[in-house]
Amino acid sequence: MSDARPLRVEPALGAAAQLVLLALLGTLTGLGPAGWLTGLVFTLATWAVLTRALRRSWPRHMPFGPANGVTLTRTTLVGGVTALVAELFTGRPPVVALAALTAVALALDAVDGRVARRTGTATALGARFDMEVDAFLILVLSVQVARSLGVWVLAIGAMRYVFVAAARVLPWLNGPLPPSTARKTVAAVQGVVLLVAGAGVLPAAAAYAVVVVALALLVWSFGRDIRWLWCLRVSRGAAPVREAARESV
């Protein structure tokens, strides 16, 4: 039997807001074909993915919530950033608009989680939505900075996606991780460092140094989490062995 639930209106509103932002960028920055095409693809993909996620995991009568509204706003800004980064490859770099949109998107990252906690509307889907938007923004910013500092910068944006791919082969990587202020801090540092490096406000040597430090911190953070998950796997594997030994005694 097909799912007869009506489509949620929020993805459509997000798509409409994205189109408005693209039109505004077209007026202010002269957004060209590369930017428009990339922005339209982002708009369609966001609408499709969010619609599917809401139909599968969100109760039909449950409000979308203010925290998810903030995340959807950030998604719109990330779409604008993505379009502008694509435009950089045509030789017309709108650096000021790109830095402004990125700064607002990063600032709002501290808002949606706080709103969810204060309003009691924190959900697994909301947390995943927030995480995916963060990860994609870091990926796009790493593409921007890689143009000036080298392809190695892409490791910052790709690391999370490599981890997800590895978890499909090694299911123990999908284990639960404890809350960590260090993990959140390292993640926030990536966005700020890439914003500063991409804005061109630092000398080349200084930009190179801070991005190297950011990458080192990210490697440390992922390595720390992988070690935790491995220890969790070992402890869970040892538990049945100890239980069997006790039964045999």
Side-chain angles (χ1 to χ4, degrees):
M1 181 181 296
S2 62
D3 190 350
R5 289 186 298 175
L7 294 177
R8 301 283 304 218
V9 69
E10 294 85 3
L13 292 176
Q18 188 71 77
L19 294 176
V20 170
L21 178 59
L22 291 175
L24 182 61
L25 291 175
T27 301
L28 297 178
T29 69
L31 197 65
W36 270 105
L37 178 60
T38 303
L40 292 174
V41 170
F42 181 92
T43 303
L44 180 60
T46 300
W47 175 84
V49 171
L50 185 56
T51 296
R52 183 172 182 268
L54 290 174
R55 286 175 66 86
R56 292 183 61 184
S57 308
W58 200 260
R60 71 178 70 181
H61 300 301
M62 185 174 179
F64 192 62
N68 288 331
V70 174
T71 306
L72 187 58
T73 300
R74 281 203 305 121
T75 305
T76 302
L77 297 175
V78 172
V81 171
T82 304
L84 291 176
V85 169
E87 196 69 10
L88 291 176
F89 290 90
T90 66
R92 297 191 299 270
V95 177
V96 175
L98 178 55
L101 286 181
T102 301
V104 177
L106 291 174
L108 287 178
D109 187 26
V111 175
D112 44 11
R114 187 174 302 174
V115 170
R117 290 188 294 271
R118 288 188 175 181
T119 59
T121 55
T123 63
L125 179 60
R128 179 66 182 273
F129 186 20
D130 176 58
M131 181 175 62
E132 296 299 340
V133 173
D134 292 342
F136 191 78
L137 176 59
I138 296 302
L139 176 61
V140 172
L141 293 178
S142 69
V143 171
Q144 177 200 0
V145 177
R147 295 180 67 251
S148 56
L149 297 186
V151 70
W152 61 272
V153 182
L154 295 177
I156 293 178
M159 198 169 299
R160 191 256 172 184
Y161 295 99
V162 171
F163 181 86
V164 171
R168 292 183 176 274
V169 181
L170 304 171
W172 55 271
L173 289 174
N174 289 315
L177 287 168
S180 171
T181 301
R183 185 188 309 118
K184 294 178 181 179
T185 302
V186 169
V189 164
Q190 307 306 309
V192 174
V193 166
L194 292 173
L195 167 62
V196 173
V201 297
L202 295 177
Y208 193 97
V210 296
V211 175
V212 166
V213 171
L215 177 57
L217 288 173
L218 191 62
V219 170
W220 169 81
S221 179
F222 270 95
R224 179 171 172 261
D225 287 345
I226 291 171
R227 181 178 180 274
W228 168 275
L229 293 170
W230 173 258
C231 291
L232 182 64
R233 174 181 182 270
V234 171
S235 65
R236 286 177 172 177
V241 174
R242 289 194 296 267
E243 184 64 27
R246 282 195 296 269
E247 290 180 357
S248 63
V249 171

PDB file of all heavy atoms in Angstrom, residues 65-72 74 105-123 126-131 134 184:
ATOM      1  N   GLY A  65       8.863  22.631  14.226  1.00  0.00           N
ATOM      2  CA  GLY A  65       9.633  23.121  15.362  1.00  0.00           C
ATOM      3  C   GLY A  65      10.537  24.291  15.017  1.00  0.00           C
ATOM      4  O   GLY A  65      11.057  24.383  13.906  1.00  0.00           O
ATOM      5  N   PRO A  66      10.750  25.182  15.991  1.00  0.00           N
ATOM      6  CA  PRO A  66      11.584  26.369  15.731  1.00  0.00           C
ATOM      7  C   PRO A  66      13.048  26.025  15.475  1.00  0.00           C
ATOM      8  O   PRO A  66      13.712  26.686  14.685  1.00  0.00           O
ATOM      9  CB  PRO A  66      11.418  27.198  17.014  1.00  0.00           C
ATOM     10  CG  PRO A  66      11.015  26.207  18.067  1.00  0.00           C
ATOM     11  CD  PRO A  66      10.197  25.174  17.362  1.00  0.00           C
ATOM     12  N   ALA A  67      13.562  24.999  16.156  1.00  0.00           N
ATOM     13  CA  ALA A  67      14.971  24.645  15.960  1.00  0.00           C
ATOM     14  C   ALA A  67      15.210  24.154  14.534  1.00  0.00           C
ATOM     15  O   ALA A  67      16.197  24.543  13.885  1.00  0.00           O
ATOM     16  CB  ALA A  67      15.382  23.570  16.963  1.00  0.00           C
ATOM     17  N   ASN A  68      14.319  23.317  14.029  1.00  0.00           N
ATOM     18  CA  ASN A  68      14.453  22.861  12.644  1.00  0.00           C
ATOM     19  C   ASN A  68      14.270  24.023  11.659  1.00  0.00           C
ATOM     20  O   ASN A  68      14.846  24.016  10.567  1.00  0.00           O
ATOM     21  CB  ASN A  68      13.443  21.766  12.341  1.00  0.00           C
ATOM     22  CG  ASN A  68      13.795  20.455  13.015  1.00  0.00           C
ATOM     23  OD1 ASN A  68      14.968  20.167  13.256  1.00  0.00           O
ATOM     24  ND2 ASN A  68      12.790  19.654  13.329  1.00  0.00           N
ATOM     25  N   GLY A  69      13.462  25.006  12.062  1.00  0.00           N
ATOM     26  CA  GLY A  69      13.318  26.192  11.224  1.00  0.00           C
ATOM     27  C   GLY A  69      14.626  26.956  11.100  1.00  0.00           C
ATOM     28  O   GLY A  69      14.986  27.434  10.017  1.00  0.00           O
ATOM     29  N   VAL A  70      15.365  27.047  12.220  1.00  0.00           N
ATOM     30  CA  VAL A  70      16.673  27.703  12.180  1.00  0.00           C
ATOM     31  C   VAL A  70      17.627  26.905  11.292  1.00  0.00           C
ATOM     32  O   VAL A  70      18.375  27.473  10.485  1.00  0.00           O
ATOM     33  CB  VAL A  70      17.247  27.847  13.602  1.00  0.00           C
ATOM     34  CG1 VAL A  70      18.674  28.402  13.551  1.00  0.00           C
ATOM     35  CG2 VAL A  70      16.373  28.762  14.444  1.00  0.00           C
ATOM     36  N   THR A  71      17.597  25.571  11.429  1.00  0.00           N
ATOM     37  CA  THR A  71      18.473  24.737  10.602  1.00  0.00           C
ATOM     38  C   THR A  71      18.120  24.861   9.126  1.00  0.00           C
ATOM     39  O   THR A  71      19.008  24.875   8.264  1.00  0.00           O
ATOM     40  CB  THR A  71      18.375  23.267  11.037  1.00  0.00           C
ATOM     41  OG1 THR A  71      18.628  23.166  12.446  1.00  0.00           O
ATOM     42  CG2 THR A  71      19.400  22.415  10.310  1.00  0.00           C
ATOM     43  N   LEU A  72      16.829  24.964   8.828  1.00  0.00           N
ATOM     44  CA  LEU A  72      16.415  25.140   7.432  1.00  0.00           C
ATOM     45  C   LEU A  72      16.895  26.491   6.891  1.00  0.00           C
ATOM     46  O   LEU A  72      17.288  26.593   5.725  1.00  0.00           O
ATOM     47  CB  LEU A  72      14.894  25.031   7.326  1.00  0.00           C
ATOM     48  CG  LEU A  72      14.313  25.027   5.909  1.00  0.00           C
ATOM     49  CD1 LEU A  72      14.894  23.885   5.088  1.00  0.00           C
ATOM     50  CD2 LEU A  72      12.789  24.924   5.964  1.00  0.00           C
ATOM     51  N   ARG A  74      19.633  27.972   7.905  1.00  0.00           N
ATOM     52  CA  ARG A  74      21.064  27.747   7.661  1.00  0.00           C
ATOM     53  C   ARG A  74      21.282  26.990   6.355  1.00  0.00           C
ATOM     54  O   ARG A  74      22.235  27.252   5.626  1.00  0.00           O
ATOM     55  CB  ARG A  74      21.692  26.960   8.821  1.00  0.00           C
ATOM     56  CG  ARG A  74      21.991  27.811  10.013  1.00  0.00           C
ATOM     57  CD  ARG A  74      23.067  27.204  10.882  1.00  0.00           C
ATOM     58  NE  ARG A  74      22.786  25.857  11.301  1.00  0.00           N
ATOM     59  CZ  ARG A  74      23.548  24.815  11.042  1.00  0.00           C
ATOM     60  NH1 ARG A  74      24.634  24.948  10.308  1.00  0.00           N
ATOM     61  NH2 ARG A  74      23.229  23.625  11.499  1.00  0.00           N
ATOM     62  N   ALA A 105      25.855  31.736   8.557  1.00  0.00           N
ATOM     63  CA  ALA A 105      25.559  30.302   8.668  1.00  0.00           C
ATOM     64  C   ALA A 105      26.290  29.683   9.846  1.00  0.00           C
ATOM     65  O   ALA A 105      25.722  28.869  10.593  1.00  0.00           O
ATOM     66  CB  ALA A 105      25.930  29.587   7.371  1.00  0.00           C
ATOM     67  N   LEU A 106      27.542  30.066  10.056  1.00  0.00           N
ATOM     68  CA  LEU A 106      28.299  29.533  11.181  1.00  0.00           C
ATOM     69  C   LEU A 106      27.757  30.054  12.504  1.00  0.00           C
ATOM     70  O   LEU A 106      27.707  29.325  13.503  1.00  0.00           O
ATOM     71  CB  LEU A 106      29.779  29.908  11.038  1.00  0.00           C
ATOM     72  CG  LEU A 106      30.543  29.229   9.898  1.00  0.00           C
ATOM     73  CD1 LEU A 106      31.946  29.801   9.787  1.00  0.00           C
ATOM     74  CD2 LEU A 106      30.608  27.717  10.118  1.00  0.00           C
ATOM     75  N   ALA A 107      27.346  31.316  12.536  1.00  0.00           N
ATOM     76  CA  ALA A 107      26.789  31.877  13.768  1.00  0.00           C
ATOM     77  C   ALA A 107      25.487  31.186  14.149  1.00  0.00           C
ATOM     78  O   ALA A 107      25.232  30.904  15.330  1.00  0.00           O
ATOM     79  CB  ALA A 107      26.570  33.380  13.594  1.00  0.00           C
ATOM     80  N   LEU A 108      24.648  30.888  13.159  1.00  0.00           N
ATOM     81  CA  LEU A 108      23.371  30.221  13.452  1.00  0.00           C
ATOM     82  C   LEU A 108      23.561  28.780  13.901  1.00  0.00           C
ATOM     83  O   LEU A 108      22.636  28.189  14.471  1.00  0.00           O
ATOM     84  CB  LEU A 108      22.476  30.259  12.207  1.00  0.00           C
ATOM     85  CG  LEU A 108      21.863  31.614  11.859  1.00  0.00           C
ATOM     86  CD1 LEU A 108      21.042  31.511  10.574  1.00  0.00           C
ATOM     87  CD2 LEU A 108      20.990  32.122  12.998  1.00  0.00           C
ATOM     88  N   ASP A 109      24.741  28.217  13.659  1.00  0.00           N
ATOM     89  CA  ASP A 109      24.995  26.847  14.096  1.00  0.00           C
ATOM     90  C   ASP A 109      24.902  26.728  15.602  1.00  0.00           C
ATOM     91  O   ASP A 109      24.589  25.651  16.134  1.00  0.00           O
ATOM     92  CB  ASP A 109      26.385  26.407  13.614  1.00  0.00           C
ATOM     93  CG  ASP A 109      26.646  24.938  13.885  1.00  0.00           C
ATOM     94  OD1 ASP A 109      25.671  24.168  13.971  1.00  0.00           O
ATOM     95  OD2 ASP A 109      27.825  24.556  14.033  1.00  0.00           O
ATOM     96  N   ALA A 110      25.170  27.813  16.309  1.00  0.00           N
ATOM     97  CA  ALA A 110      25.081  27.794  17.769  1.00  0.00           C
ATOM     98  C   ALA A 110      23.665  28.063  18.267  1.00  0.00           C
ATOM     99  O   ALA A 110      23.416  28.007  19.475  1.00  0.00           O
ATOM    100  CB  ALA A 110      26.040  28.830  18.361  1.00  0.00           C
ATOM    101  N   VAL A 111      22.754  28.354  17.340  1.00  0.00           N
ATOM    102  CA  VAL A 111      21.406  28.760  17.737  1.00  0.00           C
ATOM    103  C   VAL A 111      20.426  27.595  17.738  1.00  0.00           C
ATOM    104  O   VAL A 111      19.638  27.431  18.687  1.00  0.00           O
ATOM    105  CB  VAL A 111      20.890  29.882  16.807  1.00  0.00           C
ATOM    106  CG1 VAL A 111      19.435  30.229  17.130  1.00  0.00           C
ATOM    107  CG2 VAL A 111      21.779  31.118  16.944  1.00  0.00           C
ATOM    108  N   ASP A 112      20.448  26.761  16.680  1.00  0.00           N
ATOM    109  CA  ASP A 112      19.392  25.752  16.547  1.00  0.00           C
ATOM    110  C   ASP A 112      19.418  24.735  17.691  1.00  0.00           C
ATOM    111  O   ASP A 112      18.364  24.353  18.216  1.00  0.00           O
ATOM    112  CB  ASP A 112      19.446  25.055  15.188  1.00  0.00           C
ATOM    113  CG  ASP A 112      20.850  24.666  14.783  1.00  0.00           C
ATOM    114  OD1 ASP A 112      21.765  24.732  15.624  1.00  0.00           O
ATOM    115  OD2 ASP A 112      21.036  24.284  13.614  1.00  0.00           O
ATOM    116  N   GLY A 113      20.614  24.290  18.103  1.00  0.00           N
ATOM    117  CA  GLY A 113      20.676  23.347  19.215  1.00  0.00           C
ATOM    118  C   GLY A 113      20.179  23.953  20.503  1.00  0.00           C
ATOM    119  O   GLY A 113      19.468  23.304  21.285  1.00  0.00           O
ATOM    120  N   ARG A 114      20.540  25.201  20.732  1.00  0.00           N
ATOM    121  CA  ARG A 114      20.084  25.885  21.954  1.00  0.00           C
ATOM    122  C   ARG A 114      18.569  26.055  21.947  1.00  0.00           C
ATOM    123  O   ARG A 114      17.901  25.866  22.972  1.00  0.00           O
ATOM    124  CB  ARG A 114      20.778  27.238  22.046  1.00  0.00           C
ATOM    125  CG  ARG A 114      20.526  27.990  23.338  1.00  0.00           C
ATOM    126  CD  ARG A 114      21.375  29.250  23.394  1.00  0.00           C
ATOM    127  NE  ARG A 114      22.796  28.929  23.272  1.00  0.00           N
ATOM    128  CZ  ARG A 114      23.747  29.853  23.176  1.00  0.00           C
ATOM    129  NH1 ARG A 114      23.415  31.143  23.154  1.00  0.00           N
ATOM    130  NH2 ARG A 114      25.006  29.489  23.086  1.00  0.00           N
ATOM    131  N   VAL A 115      18.019  26.412  20.796  1.00  0.00           N
ATOM    132  CA  VAL A 115      16.556  26.563  20.690  1.00  0.00           C
ATOM    133  C   VAL A 115      15.866  25.226  20.941  1.00  0.00           C
ATOM    134  O   VAL A 115      14.846  25.162  21.634  1.00  0.00           O
ATOM    135  CB  VAL A 115      16.188  27.112  19.294  1.00  0.00           C
ATOM    136  CG1 VAL A 115      14.680  27.043  19.066  1.00  0.00           C
ATOM    137  CG2 VAL A 115      16.673  28.546  19.148  1.00  0.00           C
ATOM    138  N   ALA A 116      16.431  24.140  20.389  1.00  0.00           N
ATOM    139  CA  ALA A 116      15.828  22.822  20.585  1.00  0.00           C
ATOM    140  C   ALA A 116      15.801  22.436  22.060  1.00  0.00           C
ATOM    141  O   ALA A 116      14.806  21.899  22.557  1.00  0.00           O
ATOM    142  CB  ALA A 116      16.601  21.778  19.781  1.00  0.00           C
ATOM    143  N   ARG A 117      16.884  22.718  22.771  1.00  0.00           N
ATOM    144  CA  ARG A 117      16.935  22.369  24.199  1.00  0.00           C
ATOM    145  C   ARG A 117      15.985  23.229  25.009  1.00  0.00           C
ATOM    146  O   ARG A 117      15.311  22.728  25.913  1.00  0.00           O
ATOM    147  CB  ARG A 117      18.370  22.510  24.708  1.00  0.00           C
ATOM    148  CG  ARG A 117      19.320  21.446  24.162  1.00  0.00           C
ATOM    149  CD  ARG A 117      20.668  21.508  24.847  1.00  0.00           C
ATOM    150  NE  ARG A 117      21.381  22.750  24.533  1.00  0.00           N
ATOM    151  CZ  ARG A 117      22.189  22.904  23.496  1.00  0.00           C
ATOM    152  NH1 ARG A 117      22.379  21.905  22.649  1.00  0.00           N
ATOM    153  NH2 ARG A 117      22.818  24.050  23.290  1.00  0.00           N
ATOM    154  N   ARG A 118      15.934  24.509  24.709  1.00  0.00           N
ATOM    155  CA  ARG A 118      15.085  25.401  25.500  1.00  0.00           C
ATOM    156  C   ARG A 118      13.605  25.165  25.256  1.00  0.00           C
ATOM    157  O   ARG A 118      12.778  25.383  26.145  1.00  0.00           O
ATOM    158  CB  ARG A 118      15.439  26.852  25.187  1.00  0.00           C
ATOM    159  CG  ARG A 118      16.785  27.288  25.771  1.00  0.00           C
ATOM    160  CD  ARG A 118      17.008  28.773  25.595  1.00  0.00           C
ATOM    161  NE  ARG A 118      18.234  29.211  26.249  1.00  0.00           N
ATOM    162  CZ  ARG A 118      18.657  30.467  26.267  1.00  0.00           C
ATOM    163  NH1 ARG A 118      17.944  31.418  25.663  1.00  0.00           N
ATOM    164  NH2 ARG A 118      19.783  30.787  26.889  1.00  0.00           N
ATOM    165  N   THR A 119      13.253  24.759  24.047  1.00  0.00           N
ATOM    166  CA  THR A 119      11.838  24.531  23.725  1.00  0.00           C
ATOM    167  C   THR A 119      11.436  23.070  23.904  1.00  0.00           C
ATOM    168  O   THR A 119      10.272  22.724  23.681  1.00  0.00           O
ATOM    169  CB  THR A 119      11.542  24.969  22.283  1.00  0.00           C
ATOM    170  OG1 THR A 119      12.387  24.224  21.376  1.00  0.00           O
ATOM    171  CG2 THR A 119      11.793  26.459  22.113  1.00  0.00           C
ATOM    172  N   GLY A 120      12.381  22.211  24.282  1.00  0.00           N
ATOM    173  CA  GLY A 120      12.074  20.791  24.456  1.00  0.00           C
ATOM    174  C   GLY A 120      11.704  20.107  23.161  1.00  0.00           C
ATOM    175  O   GLY A 120      10.897  19.163  23.161  1.00  0.00           O
ATOM    176  N   THR A 121      12.280  20.536  22.054  1.00  0.00           N
ATOM    177  CA  THR A 121      11.929  19.969  20.747  1.00  0.00           C
ATOM    178  C   THR A 121      13.116  19.259  20.099  1.00  0.00           C
ATOM    179  O   THR A 121      13.138  19.095  18.874  1.00  0.00           O
ATOM    180  CB  THR A 121      11.414  21.077  19.799  1.00  0.00           C
ATOM    181  OG1 THR A 121      12.398  22.123  19.705  1.00  0.00           O
ATOM    182  CG2 THR A 121      10.113  21.673  20.315  1.00  0.00           C
ATOM    183  N   ALA A 122      14.103  18.866  20.902  1.00  0.00           N
ATOM    184  CA  ALA A 122      15.251  18.144  20.352  1.00  0.00           C
ATOM    185  C   ALA A 122      14.814  16.762  19.871  1.00  0.00           C
ATOM    186  O   ALA A 122      14.112  16.036  20.585  1.00  0.00           O
ATOM    187  CB  ALA A 122      16.350  18.011  21.400  1.00  0.00           C
ATOM    188  N   THR A 123      15.189  16.390  18.664  1.00  0.00           N
ATOM    189  CA  THR A 123      14.844  15.095  18.082  1.00  0.00           C
ATOM    190  C   THR A 123      16.057  14.517  17.362  1.00  0.00           C
ATOM    191  O   THR A 123      17.001  15.244  17.011  1.00  0.00           O
ATOM    192  CB  THR A 123      13.686  15.222  17.070  1.00  0.00           C
ATOM    193  OG1 THR A 123      14.107  16.062  15.987  1.00  0.00           O
ATOM    194  CG2 THR A 123      12.438  15.798  17.730  1.00  0.00           C
ATOM    195  N   GLY A 126      16.218  16.066  13.906  1.00  0.00           N
ATOM    196  CA  GLY A 126      16.733  17.425  13.955  1.00  0.00           C
ATOM    197  C   GLY A 126      18.240  17.451  14.119  1.00  0.00           C
ATOM    198  O   GLY A 126      18.941  18.243  13.486  1.00  0.00           O
ATOM    199  N   ALA A 127      18.762  16.577  15.001  1.00  0.00           N
ATOM    200  CA  ALA A 127      20.208  16.510  15.207  1.00  0.00           C
ATOM    201  C   ALA A 127      20.918  16.058  13.934  1.00  0.00           C
ATOM    202  O   ALA A 127      21.983  16.584  13.580  1.00  0.00           O
ATOM    203  CB  ALA A 127      20.524  15.567  16.363  1.00  0.00           C
ATOM    204  N   ARG A 128      20.340  15.088  13.227  1.00  0.00           N
ATOM    205  CA  ARG A 128      20.944  14.612  11.982  1.00  0.00           C
ATOM    206  C   ARG A 128      20.888  15.694  10.906  1.00  0.00           C
ATOM    207  O   ARG A 128      21.857  15.888  10.148  1.00  0.00           O
ATOM    208  CB  ARG A 128      20.193  13.357  11.514  1.00  0.00           C
ATOM    209  CG  ARG A 128      20.712  12.761  10.213  1.00  0.00           C
ATOM    210  CD  ARG A 128      22.111  12.209  10.361  1.00  0.00           C
ATOM    211  NE  ARG A 128      22.624  11.677   9.113  1.00  0.00           N
ATOM    212  CZ  ARG A 128      22.432  10.427   8.693  1.00  0.00           C
ATOM    213  NH1 ARG A 128      21.705   9.579   9.442  1.00  0.00           N
ATOM    214  NH2 ARG A 128      22.954  10.017   7.566  1.00  0.00           N
ATOM    215  N   PHE A 129      19.787  16.401  10.837  1.00  0.00           N
ATOM    216  CA  PHE A 129      19.630  17.505   9.892  1.00  0.00           C
ATOM    217  C   PHE A 129      20.715  18.550  10.124  1.00  0.00           C
ATOM    218  O   PHE A 129      21.410  18.990   9.198  1.00  0.00           O
ATOM    219  CB  PHE A 129      18.228  18.098  10.071  1.00  0.00           C
ATOM    220  CG  PHE A 129      17.842  19.168   9.085  1.00  0.00           C
ATOM    221  CD1 PHE A 129      18.496  19.313   7.871  1.00  0.00           C
ATOM    222  CD2 PHE A 129      16.797  20.038   9.385  1.00  0.00           C
ATOM    223  CE1 PHE A 129      18.131  20.297   6.962  1.00  0.00           C
ATOM    224  CE2 PHE A 129      16.419  21.025   8.489  1.00  0.00           C
ATOM    225  CZ  PHE A 129      17.092  21.154   7.282  1.00  0.00           C
ATOM    226  N   ASP A 130      20.897  18.930  11.379  1.00  0.00           N
ATOM    227  CA  ASP A 130      21.908  19.919  11.744  1.00  0.00           C
ATOM    228  C   ASP A 130      23.312  19.436  11.371  1.00  0.00           C
ATOM    229  O   ASP A 130      24.117  20.189  10.812  1.00  0.00           O
ATOM    230  CB  ASP A 130      21.810  20.201  13.244  1.00  0.00           C
ATOM    231  CG  ASP A 130      22.881  21.156  13.735  1.00  0.00           C
ATOM    232  OD1 ASP A 130      22.949  22.283  13.230  1.00  0.00           O
ATOM    233  OD2 ASP A 130      23.654  20.771  14.626  1.00  0.00           O
ATOM    234  N   MET A 131      23.606  18.171  11.661  1.00  0.00           N
ATOM    235  CA  MET A 131      24.928  17.619  11.400  1.00  0.00           C
ATOM    236  C   MET A 131      25.227  17.573   9.902  1.00  0.00           C
ATOM    237  O   MET A 131      26.346  17.892   9.466  1.00  0.00           O
ATOM    238  CB  MET A 131      25.042  16.214  11.992  1.00  0.00           C
ATOM    239  CG  MET A 131      26.393  15.556  11.790  1.00  0.00           C
ATOM    240  SD  MET A 131      26.505  13.967  12.618  1.00  0.00           S
ATOM    241  CE  MET A 131      25.208  13.046  11.777  1.00  0.00           C
ATOM    242  N   ASP A 134      26.025  21.062   8.634  1.00  0.00           N
ATOM    243  CA  ASP A 134      27.382  21.438   9.047  1.00  0.00           C
ATOM    244  C   ASP A 134      28.428  20.765   8.166  1.00  0.00           C
ATOM    245  O   ASP A 134      29.380  21.403   7.700  1.00  0.00           O
ATOM    246  CB  ASP A 134      27.620  21.037  10.507  1.00  0.00           C
ATOM    247  CG  ASP A 134      26.787  21.848  11.477  1.00  0.00           C
ATOM    248  OD1 ASP A 134      26.303  22.921  11.086  1.00  0.00           O
ATOM    249  OD2 ASP A 134      26.624  21.405  12.627  1.00  0.00           O
ATOM    250  N   LYS A 184      32.831  19.068  19.674  1.00  0.00           N
ATOM    251  CA  LYS A 184      32.075  20.212  19.181  1.00  0.00           C
ATOM    252  C   LYS A 184      32.987  21.402  18.910  1.00  0.00           C
ATOM    253  O   LYS A 184      32.811  22.126  17.926  1.00  0.00           O
ATOM    254  CB  LYS A 184      30.998  20.594  20.201  1.00  0.00           C
ATOM    255  CG  LYS A 184      29.913  19.546  20.375  1.00  0.00           C
ATOM    256  CD  LYS A 184      28.913  19.984  21.427  1.00  0.00           C
ATOM    257  CE  LYS A 184      27.831  18.930  21.633  1.00  0.00           C
ATOM    258  NZ  LYS A 184      26.861  19.337  22.685  1.00  0.00           N
TER     259      LYS A 184
END
